[in-house]
Amino acid sequence: DSSLRLVGSEMCIRDRAVVLGLVGGIVGLGLAWLGIRALVPMLPADIPSVMQGRIGMDMSALLFTFAAAGLAGLLFGVAPALRAATPDLTKELKEGSRGSVGKGRQRLRSSLVIGEVALSLVLLIGAGLMIQSLGQLRNVEKGFDASNVFTARVQLPRVRYDDQQAAWAFFQEFVDRMEALPGASSASLSQIVPLQGNSWENFIFPEGVEFEQENGRSVLYHMITPDHFETLGIPILRGRGFDLSDREGGERVIVIDERMAEAFWPGADPIGKRVTYETEEVPDDFEGDAPRLWRTVVGVTRNTRHYELENPSRMQMYVPLQQSGRGWSTSMYVLVRTAGDPLAMTEQVRRELSMMDADVPLTDIETM
């Protein structure tokens, strides 16, 4: 009878472990729900209200919580179940008669407590380090002003915009419409934007070197409209930015960052220097190397971080969209600096785009 009662007791402990695990999961979900309701109103004012409205619990979180709670109950009920399956009745009865907990159980409980404390410390240390890292990243000098900037992607259908002049005309009208929107202080287009995981690079040579691999550098390449530096708050340190006169038929120009200026012309003024990464279009039967196309440096910008905040970005160069030659694209990002919530511009931007061409979608809508 004692052995049967012992087995029943151990099985009951296993069942209780599962129930307690599930109850703990339910309580945890309740605390999470209360935490969201308490913490979201305390978020900084510079986080858009639209983004705050997305903070919540979803079905995947609920399913994971209940699965973890159930699994925890099963795992912590396994030991009693195994003991019940192969009990040492003599030892159990002796321990039970003394009214004390056996040494084996004491060791098991001590091990569990030690494991729980150790895991909790690891979790707390990891959370503390993450918060410290986030604080440091917020203070990183990005080289641009990310506040109040709306971004979205515009993809023209190639079948109807298969000519660069048609694409350029569409994009120029579109950016003009963006700058005229109420609440917009400036707008620009670029085929890539910082910290979005997209990039174009070109191999570039300064004038006066042989066109050998060791003399060139791979440089991050931006095609932009004239107000891009103003829209992203990228300061021009030397020279000038672009204007509407920088287009096909005029002198080919380029703006570079200070890192590229120092790499190619250390200690010298880069304004007026020339670089090349393009060649002229030549017939198929042309013999020899195609003639190089040269661009004149007209400005130097501050370094900006493009790929990630943890490390400095690569050297960067900027060319006018209307002067991008064979490097043109039908996919561009629109950037709009606003006075208020950037995402509040979404419907206005979508409406203007639809008025120009209802078949062109607005996608990847985000803020900087």
Side-chain angles (χ1 to χ4, degrees):
D1 291 342
S2 297
S3 64
L4 290 176
R5 285 197 299 272
L6 182 61
V7 171
S9 176
E10 301 288 4
M11 299 298 287
C12 183
I13 291 174
R14 183 197 62 188
D15 295 339
R16 288 176 181 175
V18 175
V19 173
L20 285 174
L22 292 175
V23 171
I26 293 173
V27 173
L29 289 173
L31 292 174
W33 185 85
L34 291 174
I36 291 172
R37 295 300 181 275
L39 293 175
V40 168
M42 299 168 60
L43 290 173
D46 58 352
I47 297 180
S49 58
V50 176
M51 301 298 292
Q52 294 185 21
R54 298 178 184 175
I55 300 174
M57 298 169 60
D58 58 15
M59 185 57 65
S60 60
L62 294 173
L63 293 176
F64 175 81
T65 300
F66 279 108
L71 181 61
L74 288 174
L75 289 177
F76 287 100
V78 165
L82 291 176
R83 292 176 63 87
T86 56
D88 185 344
L89 298 181
T90 303
K91 184 177 179 181
E92 297 287 349
L93 289 173
K94 286 181 180 179
E95 290 179 352
S97 66
R98 292 196 296 266
S100 61
V101 178
K103 293 183 179 179
R105 293 188 181 186
Q106 287 180 341
R107 285 194 296 269
L108 176 61
R109 290 179 182 179
S110 298
S111 299
L112 289 175
V113 170
I114 292 171
E116 290 171 358
V117 172
L119 290 173
S120 297
L121 286 174
V122 170
L123 180 63
L124 289 173
I125 292 171
L129 291 174
M130 184 190 70
I131 292 172
Q132 184 183 32
S133 297
L134 287 175
Q136 292 175 348
L137 288 176
R138 286 178 62 89
N139 296 325
V140 166
E141 177 54 57
K142 298 183 290 294
F144 61 89
D145 181 5
S147 62
N148 288 34
V149 178
F150 168 94
T151 70
R153 185 166 175 259
V154 177
Q155 175 70 60
L156 303 182
R158 270 278 187 181
V159 67
R160 284 191 289 125
Y161 297 91
D162 60 348
D163 175 75
Q164 63 181 205
Q165 295 298 332
W168 287 347
F170 181 96
F171 285 133
Q172 186 58 56
E173 180 184 350
F174 180 57
V175 76
D176 289 344
R177 286 172 174 257
M178 295 303 98
E179 290 185 328
L181 289 176
S185 58
S186 66
S188 68
L189 296 173
S190 176
Q191 96 284 13
I192 57 175
V193 289
L195 305 177
Q196 297 278 346
N198 47 33
S199 64
W200 285 28
E201 295 208 14
N202 274 324
F203 208 74
I204 190 168
F205 294 90
E207 190 174 25
V209 303
E210 297 292 330
F211 297 125
E212 302 292 342
Q213 186 78 14
E214 62 270 15
N215 294 328
R217 300 288 292 272
S218 183
V219 179
L220 193 62
Y221 172 80
H222 301 258
M223 291 185 298
I224 61 173
T225 51
D227 288 336
H228 185 73
F229 301 120
E230 178 184 355
T231 302
L232 273 185
I234 302 174
I236 303 292
L237 304 179
R238 295 182 188 174
R240 66 175 180 87
F242 300 132
D243 55 41
L244 293 178
S245 67
D246 296 318
R247 55 195 312 115
E248 283 297 313
E251 180 187 19
R252 291 178 174 269
V253 295
I254 188 172
V255 170
I256 64 176
D257 70 354
E258 50 189 329
R259 184 172 293 109
M260 180 174 167
E262 183 61 27
F264 282 166
W265 305 283
D269 186 358
I271 303 300
K273 304 293 187 183
R274 298 205 306 170
V275 296
T276 180
Y277 62 88
E278 309 155 283
T279 58
E280 294 184 12
E281 291 191 61
V282 296
D284 294 336
D285 58 354
F286 184 85
E287 296 183 0
D289 296 330
R292 308 293 304 189
L293 292 176
W294 294 89
R295 290 183 180 268
T296 301
V297 177
V298 296
V300 178
T301 71
R302 179 188 295 173
N303 296 329
T304 62
R305 301 188 184 233
H306 183 87
Y307 290 108
E308 56 189 4
L309 290 178
E310 293 87 343
N311 298 303
S313 184
R314 297 176 70 92
M315 296 183 297
Q316 301 186 52
M317 63 179 180
Y318 304 84
V319 301
L321 174 63
Q322 298 277 5
Q323 205 182 68
S324 53
R326 285 178 289 171
W328 69 287
S329 174
T330 55
S331 175
M332 299 291 288
Y333 284 87
V334 56
L335 301 93
V336 183
R337 179 166 292 280
T338 67
D341 180 3
L343 293 179
M345 302 289 293
T346 303
E347 291 309 314
Q348 297 182 68
V349 175
R350 199 189 302 276
R351 182 178 64 251
E352 294 295 327
L353 183 60
S354 179
M355 291 173 62
M356 293 181 62
D357 189 331
D359 295 328
V360 176
L362 189 70
T363 61
D364 299 339
I365 299 168
E366 294 181 291
T367 72
M368 284 300 298

